[in-house]
Amino acid sequence: MKSTVIKGEPDIARGVEYLRRIEPRFATAADAACPLPLRLRAEGFTTLLDIIVSQQLSVASADAIWSRMKNAGLADRSALCSAGLDELRSCGLSRQKSQYAIALAKSEVDFSTLSELDDDDVVKRLIRIRGIGVWTVEIYAMFALGRSDVLAAGDLALQESARLLFNLEDRPTEGALREMARAWSPWRSVAARLLWAYYRIAVKREGVR
């Protein structure tokens, strides 16, 4: 199913109001963290590459590596196609992520067609590319395609924020968080934004770029 597309702050506000009504703890998070940042980004290769760079890194580390890549001209698809691993590693990428970046650049994905696909089909299309998993695609779907009902449940900051907000004994697993989030549909992407915002307040650290 293709979820509604978030286009601006009014859509975020609608999602927040819905979540406040169905779950009092989201009202607590909203009171502490709203207004939420929109976080929409341009569709296409560069944004997906940036998300790959961010995998399993702190926001500060990802920002530093991404800045070095841009300064070296290595955020461009054509440049990456001819780049060597050493060039990317000199920017701070691991060997594995360097390979993933080159694989993305050499893939034949047509980014202009993704906006027409259902949420599940976006995942199926992109995880064919080496180094791209469900978390990466879901972050892309949320922030580049603006999908309203996607939750990157494998995200550690979301899991920790859910533990804190819902007073859970342990951090929920990806599967457990997905199960919790069923009740938050059709605004799971806004729920994720609320959880990241709550994480920033509770932990004093950004959970997402």
Side-chain angles (χ1 to χ4, degrees):
M1 180 178 177
K2 181 179 176 181
S3 55
T4 303
V5 175
I6 292 172
K7 296 181 179 178
E9 283 80 3
D11 298 316
I12 297 291
R14 284 172 54 213
V16 169
E17 285 308 306
Y18 175 83
L19 294 166
R20 291 177 70 104
R21 289 197 304 271
I22 67 164
E23 174 50 69
R25 281 162 288 202
F26 277 129
T28 298
D31 288 342
C34 281
L36 300 179
L38 186 58
R39 294 190 184 278
L40 289 184
R41 303 169 66 179
E43 296 179 36
F45 169 82
T46 302
T47 292
L48 186 53
L49 175 63
D50 189 4
I51 294 168
I52 289 174
V53 170
S54 300
Q55 293 171 351
Q56 298 179 321
L57 290 179
S58 69
V59 171
S61 295
D63 281 343
I65 293 170
W66 186 242
S67 178
R68 289 194 290 270
M69 288 180 65
K70 288 193 295 182
N71 290 338
L74 293 174
D76 177 78
R77 191 171 196 170
S78 60
L80 268 179
C81 282
S82 58
L85 294 181
D86 289 343
E87 292 177 79
L88 288 165
R89 295 198 69 193
S90 69
C91 295
L93 280 185
S94 66
R95 176 174 292 275
Q96 190 173 51
K97 278 194 184 177
S98 298
Q99 293 170 337
Y100 295 164
I102 292 171
L104 175 63
K106 293 182 176 180
S107 72
E108 297 181 354
V109 61
D110 182 353
F111 287 93
S112 67
T113 66
L114 297 179
S115 61
E116 303 303 318
L117 298 180
D118 291 348
D119 296 347
D120 289 342
D121 289 335
V122 174
V123 175
K124 292 174 184 176
R125 178 74 58 85
L126 292 179
I127 62 172
R128 298 172 187 169
I129 303 169
R130 183 184 181 190
I132 294 183
V134 173
W135 177 88
T136 301
V137 182
E138 289 179 330
I139 294 292
Y140 183 84
M142 291 171 65
F143 296 136
L145 300 179
R147 300 297 171 87
S148 67
D149 201 29
V150 175
L151 183 88
D155 188 89
L156 293 180
L158 285 184
Q159 294 169 8
E160 178 63 12
S161 184
R163 183 188 72 81
L164 295 169
L165 183 62
F166 288 82
N167 197 28
L168 303 176
E169 184 174 343
D170 298 307
R171 180 189 295 167
T173 63
E174 177 177 351
L177 185 55
R178 288 195 190 280
E179 187 61 33
M180 286 177 64
R182 288 180 183 274
W184 309 339
S185 183
W187 291 105
R188 282 176 283 194
S189 294
V190 177
R193 285 170 167 82
L194 270 172
L195 288 171
W196 274 313
Y198 188 75
Y199 178 87
R200 184 183 67 246
I201 292 169
V203 181
K204 304 294 189 298
R205 188 166 67 240
E206 289 287 351
V208 68
R209 295 178 72 204

PDB file of all heavy atoms in Angstrom, residues 3 18 35 37 47 54 73 91 97 109 116-117 125-126 133 136 138 145 153 161 163 166 171 182 190-191:
ATOM      1  N   SER A   3       1.359   4.871   1.195  1.00  0.00           N
ATOM      2  CA  SER A   3       0.817   5.759   2.215  1.00  0.00           C
ATOM      3  C   SER A   3       0.728   7.191   1.708  1.00  0.00           C
ATOM      4  O   SER A   3       1.283   7.548   0.670  1.00  0.00           O
ATOM      5  CB  SER A   3       1.679   5.691   3.487  1.00  0.00           C
ATOM      6  OG  SER A   3       3.028   5.965   3.222  1.00  0.00           O
ATOM      7  N   TYR A  18      -3.445  13.255  15.590  1.00  0.00           N
ATOM      8  CA  TYR A  18      -3.973  11.883  15.578  1.00  0.00           C
ATOM      9  C   TYR A  18      -3.282  11.037  16.653  1.00  0.00           C
ATOM     10  O   TYR A  18      -3.950  10.315  17.420  1.00  0.00           O
ATOM     11  CB  TYR A  18      -3.751  11.265  14.197  1.00  0.00           C
ATOM     12  CG  TYR A  18      -4.144   9.807  14.113  1.00  0.00           C
ATOM     13  CD1 TYR A  18      -5.470   9.440  13.889  1.00  0.00           C
ATOM     14  CD2 TYR A  18      -3.188   8.800  14.270  1.00  0.00           C
ATOM     15  CE1 TYR A  18      -5.832   8.093  13.824  1.00  0.00           C
ATOM     16  CE2 TYR A  18      -3.543   7.459  14.207  1.00  0.00           C
ATOM     17  CZ  TYR A  18      -4.860   7.115  13.976  1.00  0.00           C
ATOM     18  OH  TYR A  18      -5.218   5.787  13.911  1.00  0.00           O
ATOM     19  N   PRO A  35       7.221  22.146  18.017  1.00  0.00           N
ATOM     20  CA  PRO A  35       6.912  21.611  16.689  1.00  0.00           C
ATOM     21  C   PRO A  35       8.033  20.719  16.168  1.00  0.00           C
ATOM     22  O   PRO A  35       9.209  20.935  16.457  1.00  0.00           O
ATOM     23  CB  PRO A  35       6.771  22.868  15.832  1.00  0.00           C
ATOM     24  CG  PRO A  35       7.653  23.871  16.493  1.00  0.00           C
ATOM     25  CD  PRO A  35       7.552  23.592  17.969  1.00  0.00           C
ATOM     26  N   PRO A  37      10.482  18.975  13.323  1.00  0.00           N
ATOM     27  CA  PRO A  37      11.085  19.351  12.039  1.00  0.00           C
ATOM     28  C   PRO A  37      10.486  18.516  10.913  1.00  0.00           C
ATOM     29  O   PRO A  37      10.182  17.332  11.097  1.00  0.00           O
ATOM     30  CB  PRO A  37      12.567  19.038  12.244  1.00  0.00           C
ATOM     31  CG  PRO A  37      12.606  18.014  13.322  1.00  0.00           C
ATOM     32  CD  PRO A  37      11.448  18.318  14.216  1.00  0.00           C
ATOM     33  N   THR A  47      20.643  11.762  -2.024  1.00  0.00           N
ATOM     34  CA  THR A  47      20.047  11.541  -0.711  1.00  0.00           C
ATOM     35  C   THR A  47      20.215  10.100  -0.263  1.00  0.00           C
ATOM     36  O   THR A  47      20.545   9.834   0.903  1.00  0.00           O
ATOM     37  CB  THR A  47      18.560  11.924  -0.732  1.00  0.00           C
ATOM     38  OG1 THR A  47      18.448  13.341  -0.895  1.00  0.00           O
ATOM     39  CG2 THR A  47      17.857  11.527   0.564  1.00  0.00           C
ATOM     40  N   SER A  54      25.320   7.318   6.453  1.00  0.00           N
ATOM     41  CA  SER A  54      24.866   7.474   7.839  1.00  0.00           C
ATOM     42  C   SER A  54      24.652   6.160   8.568  1.00  0.00           C
ATOM     43  O   SER A  54      24.479   6.167   9.806  1.00  0.00           O
ATOM     44  CB  SER A  54      23.545   8.259   7.863  1.00  0.00           C
ATOM     45  OG  SER A  54      23.701   9.540   7.308  1.00  0.00           O
ATOM     46  N   GLY A  73      34.243  15.866  -4.302  1.00  0.00           N
ATOM     47  CA  GLY A  73      33.467  15.623  -5.514  1.00  0.00           C
ATOM     48  C   GLY A  73      32.929  14.214  -5.618  1.00  0.00           C
ATOM     49  O   GLY A  73      32.544  13.762  -6.711  1.00  0.00           O
ATOM     50  N   CYS A  91      38.075   9.604   2.691  1.00  0.00           N
ATOM     51  CA  CYS A  91      37.036  10.501   3.220  1.00  0.00           C
ATOM     52  C   CYS A  91      36.473  10.006   4.547  1.00  0.00           C
ATOM     53  O   CYS A  91      35.700  10.713   5.192  1.00  0.00           O
ATOM     54  CB  CYS A  91      35.889  10.630   2.218  1.00  0.00           C
ATOM     55  SG  CYS A  91      36.342  11.433   0.674  1.00  0.00           S
ATOM     56  N   LYS A  97      31.478   0.165   3.234  1.00  0.00           N
ATOM     57  CA  LYS A  97      30.584   1.239   2.769  1.00  0.00           C
ATOM     58  C   LYS A  97      31.067   1.843   1.461  1.00  0.00           C
ATOM     59  O   LYS A  97      30.261   2.293   0.645  1.00  0.00           O
ATOM     60  CB  LYS A  97      30.461   2.328   3.843  1.00  0.00           C
ATOM     61  CG  LYS A  97      29.461   1.992   4.935  1.00  0.00           C
ATOM     62  CD  LYS A  97      29.138   3.220   5.742  1.00  0.00           C
ATOM     63  CE  LYS A  97      28.223   2.894   6.892  1.00  0.00           C
ATOM     64  NZ  LYS A  97      27.956   4.087   7.728  1.00  0.00           N
ATOM     65  N   VAL A 109      18.948   1.801 -10.900  1.00  0.00           N
ATOM     66  CA  VAL A 109      17.678   2.258 -10.330  1.00  0.00           C
ATOM     67  C   VAL A 109      17.276   3.606 -10.919  1.00  0.00           C
ATOM     68  O   VAL A 109      18.091   4.521 -11.054  1.00  0.00           O
ATOM     69  CB  VAL A 109      17.774   2.345  -8.785  1.00  0.00           C
ATOM     70  CG1 VAL A 109      18.829   3.337  -8.339  1.00  0.00           C
ATOM     71  CG2 VAL A 109      16.435   2.714  -8.188  1.00  0.00           C
ATOM     72  N   GLU A 116       5.980   6.471  -7.465  1.00  0.00           N
ATOM     73  CA  GLU A 116       4.741   5.855  -7.916  1.00  0.00           C
ATOM     74  C   GLU A 116       4.503   4.488  -7.289  1.00  0.00           C
ATOM     75  O   GLU A 116       3.420   3.915  -7.434  1.00  0.00           O
ATOM     76  CB  GLU A 116       4.758   5.708  -9.451  1.00  0.00           C
ATOM     77  CG  GLU A 116       4.963   7.009 -10.190  1.00  0.00           C
ATOM     78  CD  GLU A 116       3.907   8.054  -9.823  1.00  0.00           C
ATOM     79  OE1 GLU A 116       2.719   7.674  -9.719  1.00  0.00           O
ATOM     80  OE2 GLU A 116       4.275   9.226  -9.637  1.00  0.00           O
ATOM     81  N   LEU A 117       5.500   3.951  -6.593  1.00  0.00           N
ATOM     82  CA  LEU A 117       5.398   2.601  -6.051  1.00  0.00           C
ATOM     83  C   LEU A 117       4.753   2.590  -4.672  1.00  0.00           C
ATOM     84  O   LEU A 117       4.816   3.565  -3.916  1.00  0.00           O
ATOM     85  CB  LEU A 117       6.794   1.982  -5.936  1.00  0.00           C
ATOM     86  CG  LEU A 117       7.581   1.805  -7.236  1.00  0.00           C
ATOM     87  CD1 LEU A 117       8.946   1.183  -6.920  1.00  0.00           C
ATOM     88  CD2 LEU A 117       6.824   0.951  -8.240  1.00  0.00           C
ATOM     89  N   ARG A 125      12.339  -2.856  -4.376  1.00  0.00           N
ATOM     90  CA  ARG A 125      13.135  -2.353  -5.486  1.00  0.00           C
ATOM     91  C   ARG A 125      14.560  -2.009  -5.039  1.00  0.00           C
ATOM     92  O   ARG A 125      15.532  -2.334  -5.733  1.00  0.00           O
ATOM     93  CB  ARG A 125      12.453  -1.115  -6.081  1.00  0.00           C
ATOM     94  CG  ARG A 125      13.197  -0.440  -7.222  1.00  0.00           C
ATOM     95  CD  ARG A 125      13.114  -1.248  -8.510  1.00  0.00           C
ATOM     96  NE  ARG A 125      11.751  -1.470  -8.941  1.00  0.00           N
ATOM     97  CZ  ARG A 125      11.036  -0.609  -9.684  1.00  0.00           C
ATOM     98  NH1 ARG A 125      11.595   0.522 -10.085  1.00  0.00           N
ATOM     99  NH2 ARG A 125       9.802  -0.885 -10.034  1.00  0.00           N
ATOM    100  N   LEU A 126      14.686  -1.342  -3.887  1.00  0.00           N
ATOM    101  CA  LEU A 126      15.991  -0.821  -3.496  1.00  0.00           C
ATOM    102  C   LEU A 126      16.876  -1.823  -2.769  1.00  0.00           C
ATOM    103  O   LEU A 126      18.104  -1.721  -2.845  1.00  0.00           O
ATOM    104  CB  LEU A 126      15.821   0.446  -2.654  1.00  0.00           C
ATOM    105  CG  LEU A 126      15.277   1.660  -3.410  1.00  0.00           C
ATOM    106  CD1 LEU A 126      15.125   2.854  -2.470  1.00  0.00           C
ATOM    107  CD2 LEU A 126      16.177   2.034  -4.582  1.00  0.00           C
ATOM    108  N   GLY A 133      19.698  -2.042   2.994  1.00  0.00           N
ATOM    109  CA  GLY A 133      18.770  -2.868   3.748  1.00  0.00           C
ATOM    110  C   GLY A 133      17.475  -2.133   4.013  1.00  0.00           C
ATOM    111  O   GLY A 133      17.258  -1.008   3.534  1.00  0.00           O
ATOM    112  N   THR A 136      17.684   1.488   5.565  1.00  0.00           N
ATOM    113  CA  THR A 136      18.083   2.515   4.601  1.00  0.00           C
ATOM    114  C   THR A 136      16.918   2.920   3.712  1.00  0.00           C
ATOM    115  O   THR A 136      16.678   4.110   3.482  1.00  0.00           O
ATOM    116  CB  THR A 136      19.244   1.983   3.725  1.00  0.00           C
ATOM    117  OG1 THR A 136      20.335   1.630   4.574  1.00  0.00           O
ATOM    118  CG2 THR A 136      19.708   3.034   2.732  1.00  0.00           C
ATOM    119  N   GLU A 138      13.681   2.547   4.324  1.00  0.00           N
ATOM    120  CA  GLU A 138      12.613   3.194   5.080  1.00  0.00           C
ATOM    121  C   GLU A 138      12.959   4.637   5.417  1.00  0.00           C
ATOM    122  O   GLU A 138      12.079   5.510   5.388  1.00  0.00           O
ATOM    123  CB  GLU A 138      12.297   2.381   6.339  1.00  0.00           C
ATOM    124  CG  GLU A 138      11.593   1.074   5.999  1.00  0.00           C
ATOM    125  CD  GLU A 138      11.280   0.208   7.193  1.00  0.00           C
ATOM    126  OE1 GLU A 138      12.030   0.265   8.194  1.00  0.00           O
ATOM    127  OE2 GLU A 138      10.301  -0.549   7.134  1.00  0.00           O
ATOM    128  N   LEU A 145      10.754  10.487  -0.049  1.00  0.00           N
ATOM    129  CA  LEU A 145       9.449  10.290  -0.686  1.00  0.00           C
ATOM    130  C   LEU A 145       8.306  10.849   0.156  1.00  0.00           C
ATOM    131  O   LEU A 145       7.184  10.948  -0.321  1.00  0.00           O
ATOM    132  CB  LEU A 145       9.225   8.792  -0.956  1.00  0.00           C
ATOM    133  CG  LEU A 145      10.253   8.116  -1.862  1.00  0.00           C
ATOM    134  CD1 LEU A 145       9.921   6.636  -2.024  1.00  0.00           C
ATOM    135  CD2 LEU A 145      10.333   8.803  -3.219  1.00  0.00           C
ATOM    136  N   ALA A 153      11.946   0.740  11.985  1.00  0.00           N
ATOM    137  CA  ALA A 153      11.936   0.100  13.304  1.00  0.00           C
ATOM    138  C   ALA A 153      13.281  -0.486  13.703  1.00  0.00           C
ATOM    139  O   ALA A 153      13.489  -0.795  14.870  1.00  0.00           O
ATOM    140  CB  ALA A 153      10.863  -0.982  13.344  1.00  0.00           C
ATOM    141  N   SER A 161      14.220   5.432  22.308  1.00  0.00           N
ATOM    142  CA  SER A 161      13.216   6.438  22.638  1.00  0.00           C
ATOM    143  C   SER A 161      11.899   5.783  23.032  1.00  0.00           C
ATOM    144  O   SER A 161      11.230   6.223  23.975  1.00  0.00           O
ATOM    145  CB  SER A 161      13.007   7.381  21.455  1.00  0.00           C
ATOM    146  OG  SER A 161      12.109   8.414  21.807  1.00  0.00           O
ATOM    147  N   ARG A 163      11.583   2.872  24.380  1.00  0.00           N
ATOM    148  CA  ARG A 163      11.791   2.330  25.733  1.00  0.00           C
ATOM    149  C   ARG A 163      11.581   3.392  26.786  1.00  0.00           C
ATOM    150  O   ARG A 163      10.901   3.166  27.805  1.00  0.00           O
ATOM    151  CB  ARG A 163      13.205   1.756  25.847  1.00  0.00           C
ATOM    152  CG  ARG A 163      13.473   1.095  27.210  1.00  0.00           C
ATOM    153  CD  ARG A 163      14.927   0.713  27.390  1.00  0.00           C
ATOM    154  NE  ARG A 163      15.776   1.885  27.595  1.00  0.00           N
ATOM    155  CZ  ARG A 163      15.914   2.507  28.771  1.00  0.00           C
ATOM    156  NH1 ARG A 163      15.239   2.091  29.843  1.00  0.00           N
ATOM    157  NH2 ARG A 163      16.709   3.555  28.880  1.00  0.00           N
ATOM    158  N   PHE A 166       7.714   4.854  26.673  1.00  0.00           N
ATOM    159  CA  PHE A 166       6.706   3.892  27.091  1.00  0.00           C
ATOM    160  C   PHE A 166       7.093   3.143  28.363  1.00  0.00           C
ATOM    161  O   PHE A 166       6.424   2.196  28.766  1.00  0.00           O
ATOM    162  CB  PHE A 166       6.423   2.901  25.953  1.00  0.00           C
ATOM    163  CG  PHE A 166       5.660   3.509  24.813  1.00  0.00           C
ATOM    164  CD1 PHE A 166       6.316   4.246  23.837  1.00  0.00           C
ATOM    165  CD2 PHE A 166       4.285   3.386  24.732  1.00  0.00           C
ATOM    166  CE1 PHE A 166       5.621   4.825  22.785  1.00  0.00           C
ATOM    167  CE2 PHE A 166       3.574   3.954  23.685  1.00  0.00           C
ATOM    168  CZ  PHE A 166       4.240   4.678  22.714  1.00  0.00           C
ATOM    169  N   ARG A 171      14.925  -2.284  25.770  1.00  0.00           N
ATOM    170  CA  ARG A 171      14.764  -1.684  24.453  1.00  0.00           C
ATOM    171  C   ARG A 171      14.040  -2.678  23.537  1.00  0.00           C
ATOM    172  O   ARG A 171      14.458  -3.836  23.433  1.00  0.00           O
ATOM    173  CB  ARG A 171      16.133  -1.330  23.885  1.00  0.00           C
ATOM    174  CG  ARG A 171      16.088  -0.695  22.512  1.00  0.00           C
ATOM    175  CD  ARG A 171      17.486  -0.583  21.932  1.00  0.00           C
ATOM    176  NE  ARG A 171      18.319   0.320  22.704  1.00  0.00           N
ATOM    177  CZ  ARG A 171      19.644   0.419  22.567  1.00  0.00           C
ATOM    178  NH1 ARG A 171      20.277  -0.356  21.694  1.00  0.00           N
ATOM    179  NH2 ARG A 171      20.323   1.272  23.291  1.00  0.00           N
ATOM    180  N   ARG A 182       1.882  -0.849  14.931  1.00  0.00           N
ATOM    181  CA  ARG A 182       0.674  -1.121  14.158  1.00  0.00           C
ATOM    182  C   ARG A 182      -0.449  -0.173  14.555  1.00  0.00           C
ATOM    183  O   ARG A 182      -1.234   0.278  13.709  1.00  0.00           O
ATOM    184  CB  ARG A 182       0.224  -2.565  14.357  1.00  0.00           C
ATOM    185  CG  ARG A 182       1.109  -3.604  13.690  1.00  0.00           C
ATOM    186  CD  ARG A 182       0.573  -5.007  13.963  1.00  0.00           C
ATOM    187  NE  ARG A 182       1.428  -6.027  13.409  1.00  0.00           N
ATOM    188  CZ  ARG A 182       1.355  -6.477  12.168  1.00  0.00           C
ATOM    189  NH1 ARG A 182       0.424  -5.987  11.347  1.00  0.00           N
ATOM    190  NH2 ARG A 182       2.168  -7.426  11.734  1.00  0.00           N
ATOM    191  N   VAL A 190       5.208  10.024  11.358  1.00  0.00           N
ATOM    192  CA  VAL A 190       5.140  11.128  12.322  1.00  0.00           C
ATOM    193  C   VAL A 190       5.463  10.606  13.722  1.00  0.00           C
ATOM    194  O   VAL A 190       6.128  11.289  14.508  1.00  0.00           O
ATOM    195  CB  VAL A 190       3.773  11.819  12.275  1.00  0.00           C
ATOM    196  CG1 VAL A 190       3.680  12.925  13.333  1.00  0.00           C
ATOM    197  CG2 VAL A 190       3.528  12.413  10.884  1.00  0.00           C
ATOM    198  N   ALA A 191       5.021   9.392  14.015  1.00  0.00           N
ATOM    199  CA  ALA A 191       5.393   8.785  15.298  1.00  0.00           C
ATOM    200  C   ALA A 191       6.914   8.670  15.403  1.00  0.00           C
ATOM    201  O   ALA A 191       7.496   8.929  16.468  1.00  0.00           O
ATOM    202  CB  ALA A 191       4.743   7.411  15.436  1.00  0.00           C
TER     203      ALA A 191
END
